Amino acid sequence: MDDWPIIFSYTRAEAIADGVLIDITAQAAEAGFKVHTVVTDHLYNRYVVPPAGLEGEGQSVEGRLHDLLFRTLLAAKAIRDSDRAEFDVLFLMAPGRWDTVHVVAVIGPGDQGEPVLTIMLPEDD
């Protein structure tokens, strides 16, 4: 397979520049992560960004991202011998209505082979 021609290549850096992946490395570092971290645009826009009208409920991108990263950290610490953690996160979607969202976090090689973390919905996997 080494001699197969590459038809298309899409790097992590290109995905970040295109907005397909959202770089949250700074926020992840504050939560204790030591690797470059992204979240998919689907997870970010569907759940991390709070629906309109929830500001009065104390909902913000920062708070929801903190909750996601905290749950990711707990799940990552609980696994052994795997590059993947799966867990659920509760997100307030309307006053009194919570969605339980199944999330996947995968650590793998970045564009230069360095360890990187991607947090996503299962369908983004």
Side-chain angles (χ1 to χ4, degrees):
M1 284 202 267
D2 290 337
D3 58 345
W4 289 16
I6 296 176
I7 296 172
F8 182 76
S9 172
Y10 191 57
T11 67
R12 186 176 178 91
E14 290 170 327
I16 292 168
D18 290 346
V20 174
L21 298 175
I22 312 298
D23 187 346
I24 59 166
T25 302
Q27 298 91 333
E30 290 175 10
F33 289 89
K34 296 179 179 7
V35 298
H36 186 267
T37 304
V38 299
V39 64
T40 60
D41 63 334
H42 295 134
L43 176 57
Y44 189 85
N45 291 315
R46 283 189 210 165
Y47 297 106
V48 175
V49 174
L54 289 180
E55 300 81 13
E57 301 286 329
Q59 298 295 299
S60 67
V61 169
E62 297 78 15
R64 289 163 81 100
L65 186 55
H66 176 271
D67 293 347
L68 175 65
L69 287 167
F70 182 71
R71 287 290 296 125
T72 303
L73 189 60
L74 291 176
K77 286 183 176 187
I79 62 168
R80 297 283 184 255
D81 301 323
S82 180
D83 60 355
R84 178 185 189 97
E86 295 191 33
F87 53 95
D88 292 331
V89 181
L90 286 174
F91 288 100
L92 183 65
M93 300 308 290
R97 195 189 102 221
W98 295 84
D99 281 4
T100 301
V101 180
H102 193 69
V103 176
V104 177
V106 177
I107 194 155
D111 293 343
Q112 309 305 315
E114 75 283 12
V116 296
L117 179 65
T118 304
I119 306 169
M120 65 192 106
L121 298 170
E123 59 265 24
D124 294 335
D125 193 8

